[in-house]
Amino acid sequence: MHSIHIPVLLQEVIDVLSPKQGGIYVDGTLGGGGHSEALARRVGPEGLVVSMDRDLEAIDQSEQWLRQVFAADSDRRNLPIRFVHANYRYFDEALDLLNIEKVDGILLDLGLSSDQLADRRRGFSFDSEGELDLRFDPSEGETASELLARLKEEEIADLIFQYGEERCSRRIARRIVERQQQSRPLRTARELAELVRACVPVRWKTQCKTKKQNKHSVKIDPATRTFQALRIAVNDELGSLQGILEKAPQRLKPGGVMVVISFHSLEDRIVKNAFRDDPRWEILTKKPLVASDEEIECNPRARSAKLRAARKY
Ligand SMILES: C[S@@+](CC[C@H](N)C(=O)[O-])C[C@H]1O[C@@H](n2cnc3c(N)ncnc32)[C@H](O)[C@@H]1O
């Protein structure tokens, strides 16, 4: 089955990266393969896209689909993609193994894919009976429910506040610990979502990107921030992002471009500061690029996407 994930800001990614025939690019977040496909078509049989993901299911599904797509295209039997099951923070090790010294561009499209959200076994979807897991790579590290069972009340509150920017973090942490003390540990995503909804009021978020555009009013599920915080923690998402941003300039050719699409302010701040503070970068996006109203209408997930790009001097 092909992915249900729609790549965000696809045209913007192509415009900024401007992939060239014969070029070498890293897609650190393969997901459903939409961005990798577009890159592979532009680099052609002489080029290469190194497509990475921590999620083996995403790798398997996208590899199968992309092999079919490129085999059906009689001019391009040679699929110019290498699939790598690894954290993108180790992209330099993947390049070493492929004997590639420097690349023309790096793309990150952060967060989780619609396929992961729809997979009811993995706990990403708030109303699923799946285990409260939230790992991109289920073979590595502890699950969200194991993390909650290990941490003290104060640590849980700090985590939810720091990574979810959730104002009701203390109340949520207290309820989680009370439940655990009654020998009722949180096992499923639904159990956590119900607990959080009982602690946090529903909020509406009004988005208005430019004066010309219509306002989008979106109802935010009260559980969103807590799930985001736990997902960031179990996957060390911010550590991975910082890791690749530190190493990227060494592995980009002069003139090579890095593009990062983020979905919340913590990630966006890390990208913005990394581009600003390292003199090896020339910033290409003074303000982040965001999705048009048309794109948001077709793909509501695009509403919080922010694209930042920088060129290696
Ligand atoms: C938003 S999706 C990418 C969608 C993709 N651009 C497309 O066009 O379909 C993000 C993907 O990145 C993966 N991911 C998240 N953090 C990662 C990391 N540190 N290293 C590698 N993959 C990661 C997730 O497993 C997920 O499949």
Side-chain angles (χ1 to χ4, degrees), residues 134 142 144 147-148 150-166 169-170 173 176 225-234 238 266:
L134 302 183
E142 63 186 344
L147 178 70
L148 289 176
R150 178 170 63 77
L151 296 183
K152 299 193 183 77
E153 181 179 325
E154 215 177 279
E155 293 170 320
I156 296 175
D158 289 348
L159 184 155
I160 295 173
F161 184 72
Q162 195 189 344
Y163 294 150
E165 298 177 316
E166 171 57 73
S169 59
R170 305 232 158 267
I176 291 173
R225 289 168 182 272
T226 301
F227 272 73
Q228 172 188 303
L230 288 170
R231 206 197 68 213
I232 290 175
V234 295
L238 304 184
L266 297 173

PDB file of all heavy atoms in Angstrom, residues 134 142 144 147-148 150-166 169-170 173 176 225-234 238 266:
ATOM      1  N   LEU A 134       5.013   5.752  21.008  1.00  0.00           N
ATOM      2  CA  LEU A 134       5.494   7.033  20.464  1.00  0.00           C
ATOM      3  C   LEU A 134       6.942   7.030  19.973  1.00  0.00           C
ATOM      4  O   LEU A 134       7.499   8.089  19.705  1.00  0.00           O
ATOM      5  CB  LEU A 134       5.315   8.192  21.467  1.00  0.00           C
ATOM      6  CG  LEU A 134       3.912   8.486  21.981  1.00  0.00           C
ATOM      7  CD1 LEU A 134       3.928   9.716  22.896  1.00  0.00           C
ATOM      8  CD2 LEU A 134       2.943   8.720  20.846  1.00  0.00           C
ATOM      9  N   GLU A 142      13.139   3.537  25.330  1.00  0.00           N
ATOM     10  CA  GLU A 142      11.952   3.199  26.115  1.00  0.00           C
ATOM     11  C   GLU A 142      10.699   3.859  25.531  1.00  0.00           C
ATOM     12  O   GLU A 142      10.781   4.905  24.896  1.00  0.00           O
ATOM     13  CB  GLU A 142      12.134   3.564  27.591  1.00  0.00           C
ATOM     14  CG  GLU A 142      12.311   5.023  27.874  1.00  0.00           C
ATOM     15  CD  GLU A 142      12.623   5.296  29.353  1.00  0.00           C
ATOM     16  OE1 GLU A 142      12.414   4.439  30.224  1.00  0.00           O
ATOM     17  OE2 GLU A 142      13.073   6.425  29.617  1.00  0.00           O
ATOM     18  N   ALA A 144       6.846   5.649  25.701  1.00  0.00           N
ATOM     19  CA  ALA A 144       6.332   6.765  26.502  1.00  0.00           C
ATOM     20  C   ALA A 144       5.731   6.244  27.804  1.00  0.00           C
ATOM     21  O   ALA A 144       5.870   6.875  28.855  1.00  0.00           O
ATOM     22  CB  ALA A 144       5.301   7.546  25.705  1.00  0.00           C
ATOM     23  N   LEU A 147       8.537   5.528  30.140  1.00  0.00           N
ATOM     24  CA  LEU A 147       9.135   6.793  30.612  1.00  0.00           C
ATOM     25  C   LEU A 147       8.286   7.380  31.746  1.00  0.00           C
ATOM     26  O   LEU A 147       8.813   7.779  32.791  1.00  0.00           O
ATOM     27  CB  LEU A 147       9.227   7.780  29.443  1.00  0.00           C
ATOM     28  CG  LEU A 147       9.788   9.157  29.759  1.00  0.00           C
ATOM     29  CD1 LEU A 147      11.286   9.079  30.057  1.00  0.00           C
ATOM     30  CD2 LEU A 147       9.571  10.128  28.594  1.00  0.00           C
ATOM     31  N   LEU A 148       6.965   7.390  31.552  1.00  0.00           N
ATOM     32  CA  LEU A 148       6.083   7.959  32.587  1.00  0.00           C
ATOM     33  C   LEU A 148       6.134   7.142  33.872  1.00  0.00           C
ATOM     34  O   LEU A 148       6.001   7.685  34.972  1.00  0.00           O
ATOM     35  CB  LEU A 148       4.643   8.042  32.069  1.00  0.00           C
ATOM     36  CG  LEU A 148       4.394   9.097  30.993  1.00  0.00           C
ATOM     37  CD1 LEU A 148       2.962   9.026  30.475  1.00  0.00           C
ATOM     38  CD2 LEU A 148       4.691  10.501  31.526  1.00  0.00           C
ATOM     39  N   ARG A 150       8.745   5.648  34.981  1.00  0.00           N
ATOM     40  CA  ARG A 150      10.073   5.818  35.605  1.00  0.00           C
ATOM     41  C   ARG A 150      10.245   7.194  36.263  1.00  0.00           C
ATOM     42  O   ARG A 150      10.889   7.313  37.295  1.00  0.00           O
ATOM     43  CB  ARG A 150      11.140   5.627  34.521  1.00  0.00           C
ATOM     44  CG  ARG A 150      12.565   5.822  34.997  1.00  0.00           C
ATOM     45  CD  ARG A 150      13.578   5.398  33.960  1.00  0.00           C
ATOM     46  NE  ARG A 150      13.552   6.145  32.720  1.00  0.00           N
ATOM     47  CZ  ARG A 150      14.044   7.366  32.556  1.00  0.00           C
ATOM     48  NH1 ARG A 150      14.590   7.990  33.580  1.00  0.00           N
ATOM     49  NH2 ARG A 150      13.986   7.982  31.385  1.00  0.00           N
ATOM     50  N   LEU A 151       9.632   8.241  35.670  1.00  0.00           N
ATOM     51  CA  LEU A 151       9.899   9.609  36.145  1.00  0.00           C
ATOM     52  C   LEU A 151       9.092   9.962  37.397  1.00  0.00           C
ATOM     53  O   LEU A 151       7.995   9.436  37.619  1.00  0.00           O
ATOM     54  CB  LEU A 151       9.563  10.619  35.047  1.00  0.00           C
ATOM     55  CG  LEU A 151      10.402  10.567  33.759  1.00  0.00           C
ATOM     56  CD1 LEU A 151       9.986  11.694  32.819  1.00  0.00           C
ATOM     57  CD2 LEU A 151      11.893  10.661  34.050  1.00  0.00           C
ATOM     58  N   LYS A 152       9.648  10.906  38.177  1.00  0.00           N
ATOM     59  CA  LYS A 152       8.923  11.443  39.344  1.00  0.00           C
ATOM     60  C   LYS A 152       7.944  12.510  38.848  1.00  0.00           C
ATOM     61  O   LYS A 152       8.120  13.059  37.750  1.00  0.00           O
ATOM     62  CB  LYS A 152       9.921  12.092  40.311  1.00  0.00           C
ATOM     63  CG  LYS A 152      10.952  11.145  40.864  1.00  0.00           C
ATOM     64  CD  LYS A 152      11.666  11.841  42.031  1.00  0.00           C
ATOM     65  CE  LYS A 152      12.769  10.978  42.584  1.00  0.00           C
ATOM     66  NZ  LYS A 152      13.982  10.970  41.759  1.00  0.00           N
ATOM     67  N   GLU A 153       6.981  12.834  39.733  1.00  0.00           N
ATOM     68  CA  GLU A 153       5.933  13.801  39.343  1.00  0.00           C
ATOM     69  C   GLU A 153       6.535  15.115  38.812  1.00  0.00           C
ATOM     70  O   GLU A 153       6.119  15.632  37.772  1.00  0.00           O
ATOM     71  CB  GLU A 153       5.028  14.084  40.549  1.00  0.00           C
ATOM     72  CG  GLU A 153       3.916  15.055  40.213  1.00  0.00           C
ATOM     73  CD  GLU A 153       2.998  15.318  41.403  1.00  0.00           C
ATOM     74  OE1 GLU A 153       2.763  14.386  42.204  1.00  0.00           O
ATOM     75  OE2 GLU A 153       2.518  16.452  41.525  1.00  0.00           O
ATOM     76  N   GLU A 154       7.529  15.613  39.539  1.00  0.00           N
ATOM     77  CA  GLU A 154       8.118  16.898  39.128  1.00  0.00           C
ATOM     78  C   GLU A 154       8.804  16.808  37.758  1.00  0.00           C
ATOM     79  O   GLU A 154       8.728  17.729  36.947  1.00  0.00           O
ATOM     80  CB  GLU A 154       9.139  17.309  40.186  1.00  0.00           C
ATOM     81  CG  GLU A 154       9.188  18.800  40.392  1.00  0.00           C
ATOM     82  CD  GLU A 154      10.177  19.120  41.504  1.00  0.00           C
ATOM     83  OE1 GLU A 154       9.761  18.999  42.667  1.00  0.00           O
ATOM     84  OE2 GLU A 154      11.320  19.455  41.194  1.00  0.00           O
ATOM     85  N   GLU A 155       9.445  15.680  37.536  1.00  0.00           N
ATOM     86  CA  GLU A 155      10.139  15.492  36.249  1.00  0.00           C
ATOM     87  C   GLU A 155       9.130  15.403  35.094  1.00  0.00           C
ATOM     88  O   GLU A 155       9.366  15.931  34.006  1.00  0.00           O
ATOM     89  CB  GLU A 155      11.001  14.220  36.285  1.00  0.00           C
ATOM     90  CG  GLU A 155      12.183  14.317  37.244  1.00  0.00           C
ATOM     91  CD  GLU A 155      12.876  12.975  37.452  1.00  0.00           C
ATOM     92  OE1 GLU A 155      12.180  11.931  37.560  1.00  0.00           O
ATOM     93  OE2 GLU A 155      14.108  12.967  37.525  1.00  0.00           O
ATOM     94  N   ILE A 156       7.995  14.744  35.354  1.00  0.00           N
ATOM     95  CA  ILE A 156       6.964  14.642  34.313  1.00  0.00           C
ATOM     96  C   ILE A 156       6.433  16.045  33.996  1.00  0.00           C
ATOM     97  O   ILE A 156       6.287  16.436  32.830  1.00  0.00           O
ATOM     98  CB  ILE A 156       5.802  13.718  34.760  1.00  0.00           C
ATOM     99  CG1 ILE A 156       6.305  12.288  34.967  1.00  0.00           C
ATOM    100  CG2 ILE A 156       4.662  13.743  33.740  1.00  0.00           C
ATOM    101  CD1 ILE A 156       5.269  11.321  35.533  1.00  0.00           C
ATOM    102  N   ALA A 157       6.176  16.815  35.064  1.00  0.00           N
ATOM    103  CA  ALA A 157       5.642  18.172  34.862  1.00  0.00           C
ATOM    104  C   ALA A 157       6.639  19.021  34.072  1.00  0.00           C
ATOM    105  O   ALA A 157       6.260  19.724  33.124  1.00  0.00           O
ATOM    106  CB  ALA A 157       5.354  18.813  36.222  1.00  0.00           C
ATOM    107  N   ASP A 158       7.910  18.936  34.425  1.00  0.00           N
ATOM    108  CA  ASP A 158       8.926  19.733  33.720  1.00  0.00           C
ATOM    109  C   ASP A 158       8.999  19.347  32.244  1.00  0.00           C
ATOM    110  O   ASP A 158       9.115  20.195  31.367  1.00  0.00           O
ATOM    111  CB  ASP A 158      10.318  19.545  34.356  1.00  0.00           C
ATOM    112  CG  ASP A 158      10.387  20.223  35.731  1.00  0.00           C
ATOM    113  OD1 ASP A 158       9.469  21.003  36.057  1.00  0.00           O
ATOM    114  OD2 ASP A 158      11.354  19.956  36.463  1.00  0.00           O
ATOM    115  N   LEU A 159       8.946  18.032  31.998  1.00  0.00           N
ATOM    116  CA  LEU A 159       9.040  17.542  30.615  1.00  0.00           C
ATOM    117  C   LEU A 159       7.863  18.068  29.775  1.00  0.00           C
ATOM    118  O   LEU A 159       8.040  18.566  28.662  1.00  0.00           O
ATOM    119  CB  LEU A 159       9.045  16.012  30.666  1.00  0.00           C
ATOM    120  CG  LEU A 159       9.235  15.210  29.397  1.00  0.00           C
ATOM    121  CD1 LEU A 159       9.823  13.843  29.749  1.00  0.00           C
ATOM    122  CD2 LEU A 159       7.960  14.997  28.628  1.00  0.00           C
ATOM    123  N   ILE A 160       6.652  17.981  30.348  1.00  0.00           N
ATOM    124  CA  ILE A 160       5.461  18.405  29.598  1.00  0.00           C
ATOM    125  C   ILE A 160       5.477  19.925  29.392  1.00  0.00           C
ATOM    126  O   ILE A 160       5.060  20.436  28.351  1.00  0.00           O
ATOM    127  CB  ILE A 160       4.164  17.937  30.313  1.00  0.00           C
ATOM    128  CG1 ILE A 160       4.109  16.406  30.319  1.00  0.00           C
ATOM    129  CG2 ILE A 160       2.918  18.496  29.628  1.00  0.00           C
ATOM    130  CD1 ILE A 160       2.956  15.834  31.139  1.00  0.00           C
ATOM    131  N   PHE A 161       6.029  20.632  30.369  1.00  0.00           N
ATOM    132  CA  PHE A 161       6.104  22.097  30.238  1.00  0.00           C
ATOM    133  C   PHE A 161       7.176  22.491  29.217  1.00  0.00           C
ATOM    134  O   PHE A 161       6.953  23.296  28.321  1.00  0.00           O
ATOM    135  CB  PHE A 161       6.408  22.729  31.600  1.00  0.00           C
ATOM    136  CG  PHE A 161       6.409  24.223  31.548  1.00  0.00           C
ATOM    137  CD1 PHE A 161       5.216  24.918  31.401  1.00  0.00           C
ATOM    138  CD2 PHE A 161       7.594  24.940  31.591  1.00  0.00           C
ATOM    139  CE1 PHE A 161       5.209  26.306  31.317  1.00  0.00           C
ATOM    140  CE2 PHE A 161       7.594  26.324  31.501  1.00  0.00           C
ATOM    141  CZ  PHE A 161       6.399  27.006  31.368  1.00  0.00           C
ATOM    142  N   GLN A 162       8.327  21.844  29.337  1.00  0.00           N
ATOM    143  CA  GLN A 162       9.463  22.233  28.487  1.00  0.00           C
ATOM    144  C   GLN A 162       9.236  21.860  27.024  1.00  0.00           C
ATOM    145  O   GLN A 162       9.453  22.663  26.121  1.00  0.00           O
ATOM    146  CB  GLN A 162      10.715  21.523  29.012  1.00  0.00           C
ATOM    147  CG  GLN A 162      12.000  22.103  28.466  1.00  0.00           C
ATOM    148  CD  GLN A 162      13.199  21.239  28.845  1.00  0.00           C
ATOM    149  OE1 GLN A 162      13.139  20.394  29.739  1.00  0.00           O
ATOM    150  NE2 GLN A 162      14.293  21.447  28.154  1.00  0.00           N
ATOM    151  N   TYR A 163       8.815  20.625  26.765  1.00  0.00           N
ATOM    152  CA  TYR A 163       8.689  20.163  25.373  1.00  0.00           C
ATOM    153  C   TYR A 163       7.296  20.371  24.784  1.00  0.00           C
ATOM    154  O   TYR A 163       7.112  20.267  23.580  1.00  0.00           O
ATOM    155  CB  TYR A 163       9.056  18.681  25.268  1.00  0.00           C
ATOM    156  CG  TYR A 163      10.504  18.373  25.567  1.00  0.00           C
ATOM    157  CD1 TYR A 163      10.870  17.142  26.106  1.00  0.00           C
ATOM    158  CD2 TYR A 163      11.509  19.287  25.291  1.00  0.00           C
ATOM    159  CE1 TYR A 163      12.199  16.839  26.373  1.00  0.00           C
ATOM    160  CE2 TYR A 163      12.837  18.991  25.556  1.00  0.00           C
ATOM    161  CZ  TYR A 163      13.170  17.774  26.093  1.00  0.00           C
ATOM    162  OH  TYR A 163      14.480  17.468  26.359  1.00  0.00           O
ATOM    163  N   GLY A 164       6.287  20.588  25.665  1.00  0.00           N
ATOM    164  CA  GLY A 164       4.943  20.777  25.135  1.00  0.00           C
ATOM    165  C   GLY A 164       4.462  22.208  25.331  1.00  0.00           C
ATOM    166  O   GLY A 164       3.415  22.583  24.846  1.00  0.00           O
ATOM    167  N   GLU A 165       5.214  22.998  26.077  1.00  0.00           N
ATOM    168  CA  GLU A 165       4.830  24.370  26.427  1.00  0.00           C
ATOM    169  C   GLU A 165       3.390  24.376  26.967  1.00  0.00           C
ATOM    170  O   GLU A 165       2.573  25.226  26.629  1.00  0.00           O
ATOM    171  CB  GLU A 165       5.025  25.302  25.217  1.00  0.00           C
ATOM    172  CG  GLU A 165       6.497  25.359  24.796  1.00  0.00           C
ATOM    173  CD  GLU A 165       6.788  26.194  23.551  1.00  0.00           C
ATOM    174  OE1 GLU A 165       6.030  26.077  22.581  1.00  0.00           O
ATOM    175  OE2 GLU A 165       7.768  26.949  23.562  1.00  0.00           O
ATOM    176  N   GLU A 166       3.100  23.348  27.786  1.00  0.00           N
ATOM    177  CA  GLU A 166       1.747  23.141  28.313  1.00  0.00           C
ATOM    178  C   GLU A 166       1.639  23.791  29.698  1.00  0.00           C
ATOM    179  O   GLU A 166       2.366  23.408  30.624  1.00  0.00           O
ATOM    180  CB  GLU A 166       1.479  21.629  28.400  1.00  0.00           C
ATOM    181  CG  GLU A 166       0.205  21.238  29.123  1.00  0.00           C
ATOM    182  CD  GLU A 166      -1.032  21.856  28.511  1.00  0.00           C
ATOM    183  OE1 GLU A 166      -1.429  21.408  27.430  1.00  0.00           O
ATOM    184  OE2 GLU A 166      -1.601  22.793  29.118  1.00  0.00           O
ATOM    185  N   SER A 169       0.824  21.688  33.001  1.00  0.00           N
ATOM    186  CA  SER A 169       1.700  20.514  33.135  1.00  0.00           C
ATOM    187  C   SER A 169       1.688  19.925  34.556  1.00  0.00           C
ATOM    188  O   SER A 169       1.734  18.712  34.722  1.00  0.00           O
ATOM    189  CB  SER A 169       3.127  20.883  32.736  1.00  0.00           C
ATOM    190  OG  SER A 169       3.596  21.930  33.551  1.00  0.00           O
ATOM    191  N   ARG A 170       1.604  20.802  35.585  1.00  0.00           N
ATOM    192  CA  ARG A 170       1.667  20.278  36.968  1.00  0.00           C
ATOM    193  C   ARG A 170       0.420  19.438  37.273  1.00  0.00           C
ATOM    194  O   ARG A 170       0.508  18.380  37.873  1.00  0.00           O
ATOM    195  CB  ARG A 170       1.775  21.415  37.998  1.00  0.00           C
ATOM    196  CG  ARG A 170       2.926  22.331  37.749  1.00  0.00           C
ATOM    197  CD  ARG A 170       3.835  22.541  38.969  1.00  0.00           C
ATOM    198  NE  ARG A 170       5.144  22.982  38.496  1.00  0.00           N
ATOM    199  CZ  ARG A 170       6.163  22.185  38.240  1.00  0.00           C
ATOM    200  NH1 ARG A 170       6.067  20.893  38.443  1.00  0.00           N
ATOM    201  NH2 ARG A 170       7.303  22.649  37.767  1.00  0.00           N
ATOM    202  N   ALA A 173       0.694  16.116  35.462  1.00  0.00           N
ATOM    203  CA  ALA A 173       1.677  15.221  36.098  1.00  0.00           C
ATOM    204  C   ALA A 173       1.091  14.623  37.388  1.00  0.00           C
ATOM    205  O   ALA A 173       1.263  13.434  37.673  1.00  0.00           O
ATOM    206  CB  ALA A 173       2.952  15.996  36.404  1.00  0.00           C
ATOM    207  N   ILE A 176      -1.310  11.859  36.521  1.00  0.00           N
ATOM    208  CA  ILE A 176      -0.611  10.662  36.014  1.00  0.00           C
ATOM    209  C   ILE A 176      -0.053   9.863  37.194  1.00  0.00           C
ATOM    210  O   ILE A 176      -0.230   8.647  37.289  1.00  0.00           O
ATOM    211  CB  ILE A 176       0.535  11.059  35.035  1.00  0.00           C
ATOM    212  CG1 ILE A 176      -0.046  11.620  33.730  1.00  0.00           C
ATOM    213  CG2 ILE A 176       1.439   9.852  34.731  1.00  0.00           C
ATOM    214  CD1 ILE A 176       0.978  12.185  32.758  1.00  0.00           C
ATOM    215  N   ARG A 225      -0.424  18.959  23.191  1.00  0.00           N
ATOM    216  CA  ARG A 225       0.872  19.415  23.715  1.00  0.00           C
ATOM    217  C   ARG A 225       1.559  18.336  24.559  1.00  0.00           C
ATOM    218  O   ARG A 225       2.781  18.209  24.548  1.00  0.00           O
ATOM    219  CB  ARG A 225       0.671  20.675  24.560  1.00  0.00           C
ATOM    220  CG  ARG A 225       0.314  21.872  23.720  1.00  0.00           C
ATOM    221  CD  ARG A 225      -0.169  23.010  24.581  1.00  0.00           C
ATOM    222  NE  ARG A 225      -0.548  24.143  23.769  1.00  0.00           N
ATOM    223  CZ  ARG A 225       0.283  25.099  23.387  1.00  0.00           C
ATOM    224  NH1 ARG A 225       1.535  25.073  23.761  1.00  0.00           N
ATOM    225  NH2 ARG A 225      -0.126  26.081  22.631  1.00  0.00           N
ATOM    226  N   THR A 226       0.754  17.578  25.295  1.00  0.00           N
ATOM    227  CA  THR A 226       1.339  16.520  26.130  1.00  0.00           C
ATOM    228  C   THR A 226       1.908  15.403  25.249  1.00  0.00           C
ATOM    229  O   THR A 226       3.007  14.898  25.483  1.00  0.00           O
ATOM    230  CB  THR A 226       0.275  15.963  27.098  1.00  0.00           C
ATOM    231  OG1 THR A 226      -0.187  17.050  27.895  1.00  0.00           O
ATOM    232  CG2 THR A 226       0.824  14.874  27.976  1.00  0.00           C
ATOM    233  N   PHE A 227       1.165  15.026  24.202  1.00  0.00           N
ATOM    234  CA  PHE A 227       1.675  13.988  23.295  1.00  0.00           C
ATOM    235  C   PHE A 227       2.944  14.476  22.590  1.00  0.00           C
ATOM    236  O   PHE A 227       3.906  13.731  22.424  1.00  0.00           O
ATOM    237  CB  PHE A 227       0.600  13.586  22.261  1.00  0.00           C
ATOM    238  CG  PHE A 227      -0.299  12.485  22.747  1.00  0.00           C
ATOM    239  CD1 PHE A 227      -1.255  12.722  23.722  1.00  0.00           C
ATOM    240  CD2 PHE A 227      -0.183  11.196  22.249  1.00  0.00           C
ATOM    241  CE1 PHE A 227      -2.077  11.708  24.192  1.00  0.00           C
ATOM    242  CE2 PHE A 227      -0.998  10.168  22.710  1.00  0.00           C
ATOM    243  CZ  PHE A 227      -1.955  10.426  23.677  1.00  0.00           C
ATOM    244  N   GLN A 228       2.925  15.748  22.182  1.00  0.00           N
ATOM    245  CA  GLN A 228       4.115  16.307  21.526  1.00  0.00           C
ATOM    246  C   GLN A 228       5.325  16.215  22.459  1.00  0.00           C
ATOM    247  O   GLN A 228       6.426  15.800  22.070  1.00  0.00           O
ATOM    248  CB  GLN A 228       3.861  17.766  21.157  1.00  0.00           C
ATOM    249  CG  GLN A 228       5.111  18.480  20.644  1.00  0.00           C
ATOM    250  CD  GLN A 228       4.893  19.973  20.464  1.00  0.00           C
ATOM    251  OE1 GLN A 228       4.000  20.386  19.742  1.00  0.00           O
ATOM    252  NE2 GLN A 228       5.707  20.791  21.108  1.00  0.00           N
ATOM    253  N   ALA A 229       5.111  16.579  23.727  1.00  0.00           N
ATOM    254  CA  ALA A 229       6.217  16.583  24.690  1.00  0.00           C
ATOM    255  C   ALA A 229       6.793  15.175  24.865  1.00  0.00           C
ATOM    256  O   ALA A 229       8.009  14.981  24.855  1.00  0.00           O
ATOM    257  CB  ALA A 229       5.722  17.119  26.032  1.00  0.00           C
ATOM    258  N   LEU A 230       5.894  14.197  25.001  1.00  0.00           N
ATOM    259  CA  LEU A 230       6.381  12.824  25.221  1.00  0.00           C
ATOM    260  C   LEU A 230       7.090  12.287  23.982  1.00  0.00           C
ATOM    261  O   LEU A 230       8.110  11.610  24.072  1.00  0.00           O
ATOM    262  CB  LEU A 230       5.203  11.916  25.592  1.00  0.00           C
ATOM    263  CG  LEU A 230       4.659  12.154  26.993  1.00  0.00           C
ATOM    264  CD1 LEU A 230       3.356  11.400  27.195  1.00  0.00           C
ATOM    265  CD2 LEU A 230       5.680  11.711  28.040  1.00  0.00           C
ATOM    266  N   ARG A 231       6.546  12.623  22.812  1.00  0.00           N
ATOM    267  CA  ARG A 231       7.174  12.156  21.555  1.00  0.00           C
ATOM    268  C   ARG A 231       8.575  12.758  21.417  1.00  0.00           C
ATOM    269  O   ARG A 231       9.535  12.071  21.081  1.00  0.00           O
ATOM    270  CB  ARG A 231       6.289  12.591  20.383  1.00  0.00           C
ATOM    271  CG  ARG A 231       6.412  11.729  19.159  1.00  0.00           C
ATOM    272  CD  ARG A 231       5.847  12.447  17.954  1.00  0.00           C
ATOM    273  NE  ARG A 231       6.673  13.576  17.614  1.00  0.00           N
ATOM    274  CZ  ARG A 231       6.215  14.721  17.096  1.00  0.00           C
ATOM    275  NH1 ARG A 231       4.930  14.891  16.876  1.00  0.00           N
ATOM    276  NH2 ARG A 231       7.056  15.687  16.801  1.00  0.00           N
ATOM    277  N   ILE A 232       8.687  14.047  21.712  1.00  0.00           N
ATOM    278  CA  ILE A 232       9.997  14.701  21.624  1.00  0.00           C
ATOM    279  C   ILE A 232      10.979  14.031  22.584  1.00  0.00           C
ATOM    280  O   ILE A 232      12.128  13.772  22.243  1.00  0.00           O
ATOM    281  CB  ILE A 232       9.865  16.213  21.951  1.00  0.00           C
ATOM    282  CG1 ILE A 232       9.132  16.924  20.823  1.00  0.00           C
ATOM    283  CG2 ILE A 232      11.231  16.848  22.186  1.00  0.00           C
ATOM    284  CD1 ILE A 232       8.847  18.398  21.099  1.00  0.00           C
ATOM    285  N   ALA A 233      10.495  13.710  23.789  1.00  0.00           N
ATOM    286  CA  ALA A 233      11.389  13.126  24.803  1.00  0.00           C
ATOM    287  C   ALA A 233      11.813  11.710  24.427  1.00  0.00           C
ATOM    288  O   ALA A 233      13.006  11.405  24.443  1.00  0.00           O
ATOM    289  CB  ALA A 233      10.698  13.137  26.163  1.00  0.00           C
ATOM    290  N   VAL A 234      10.867  10.837  24.074  1.00  0.00           N
ATOM    291  CA  VAL A 234      11.279   9.437  23.848  1.00  0.00           C
ATOM    292  C   VAL A 234      12.174   9.318  22.611  1.00  0.00           C
ATOM    293  O   VAL A 234      13.015   8.423  22.533  1.00  0.00           O
ATOM    294  CB  VAL A 234      10.104   8.419  23.730  1.00  0.00           C
ATOM    295  CG1 VAL A 234       9.335   8.303  25.011  1.00  0.00           C
ATOM    296  CG2 VAL A 234       9.180   8.708  22.581  1.00  0.00           C
ATOM    297  N   LEU A 238      14.952  16.864  19.711  1.00  0.00           N
ATOM    298  CA  LEU A 238      15.703  18.124  19.640  1.00  0.00           C
ATOM    299  C   LEU A 238      17.205  17.839  19.600  1.00  0.00           C
ATOM    300  O   LEU A 238      17.963  18.533  18.905  1.00  0.00           O
ATOM    301  CB  LEU A 238      15.329  19.035  20.813  1.00  0.00           C
ATOM    302  CG  LEU A 238      13.825  19.343  20.931  1.00  0.00           C
ATOM    303  CD1 LEU A 238      13.565  20.320  22.066  1.00  0.00           C
ATOM    304  CD2 LEU A 238      13.247  19.883  19.626  1.00  0.00           C
ATOM    305  N   LEU A 266       9.690  25.050  19.204  1.00  0.00           N
ATOM    306  CA  LEU A 266      10.966  24.595  19.776  1.00  0.00           C
ATOM    307  C   LEU A 266      11.938  24.217  18.668  1.00  0.00           C
ATOM    308  O   LEU A 266      13.108  24.590  18.684  1.00  0.00           O
ATOM    309  CB  LEU A 266      10.739  23.375  20.683  1.00  0.00           C
ATOM    310  CG  LEU A 266       9.877  23.585  21.914  1.00  0.00           C
ATOM    311  CD1 LEU A 266       9.608  22.251  22.597  1.00  0.00           C
ATOM    312  CD2 LEU A 266      10.544  24.535  22.879  1.00  0.00           C
TER     313      LEU A 266
END
